[in-house]
Amino acid sequence: MNKHEVDLNRVQFYSIEDMAGSHQLAKGENILRNEILSNYTDINDILELYNIKKYIDNELYLKGWTQEDIINFKQKVIEYGKIIGRFMSNINDTNITNLYNSTLREYTKSF
């Protein structure tokens, strides 16, 4: 049995009703406010984008965000979706085991 590492500083989406949503979104705010990287190679970065995207897609926002922030973040998660799709489309029989084994424990279900 493989032991997956844990990183509690990464964003995790649990559910729309989960009370931890604002805490989780606060962890991802820095990612949302920064430029999108040109290349993502870490499965955990991809899964974190996926979890952030789930919050925004479900219209869950932090109270301190302005309408302009929300519009900007909605645009960013559209790009995140493309990045996630490109990354996932490159998973195949030769790399899936290594990717899964390097997935953080909190992201194994997202994977």
Side-chain angles (χ1 to χ4, degrees):
M1 181 102 183
N2 182 23
K3 292 197 180 230
H4 295 274
E5 292 181 32
V6 174
D7 184 350
L8 298 177
N9 294 315
R10 291 206 181 241
V11 178
Q12 172 100 32
F13 180 86
Y14 296 104
S15 75
I16 295 170
E17 298 84 15
D18 190 85
M19 298 301 287
S22 60
H23 173 69
Q24 293 297 319
L25 259 182
K27 291 193 284 187
E29 184 174 18
N30 189 43
I31 294 168
L32 285 163
R33 293 199 181 278
N34 283 309
E35 293 296 316
I36 296 172
L37 300 178
S38 59
N39 188 28
Y40 291 85
T41 57
D42 183 346
I43 184 66
N44 296 295
D45 291 341
I46 294 297
L47 294 172
E48 185 167 38
L49 293 179
Y50 171 73
N51 280 270
I52 292 169
K53 183 178 183 333
K54 286 178 78 171
Y55 280 107
I56 303 302
D57 286 348
N58 283 289
E59 299 183 351
L60 299 171
Y61 314 122
L62 293 179
K63 289 182 180 173
W65 289 353
T66 65
Q67 194 60 39
E68 185 178 316
D69 288 335
I70 293 168
I71 291 167
N72 182 32
F73 298 159
K74 283 182 175 183
Q75 286 298 313
K76 279 200 169 171
V77 299
I78 290 169
E79 293 304 311
Y80 293 170
K82 294 174 187 175
I83 291 164
I84 295 162
R86 273 193 305 272
F87 189 94
M88 293 299 185
S89 70
N90 288 313
I91 295 177
N92 57 48
D93 291 345
T94 63
N95 63 8
I96 192 165
T97 301
N98 285 337
L99 287 170
Y100 181 76
N101 288 338
S102 48
T103 301
L104 294 169
R105 180 178 300 155
E106 56 271 23
Y107 287 155
T108 54
K109 286 184 180 179
S110 294
F111 183 83

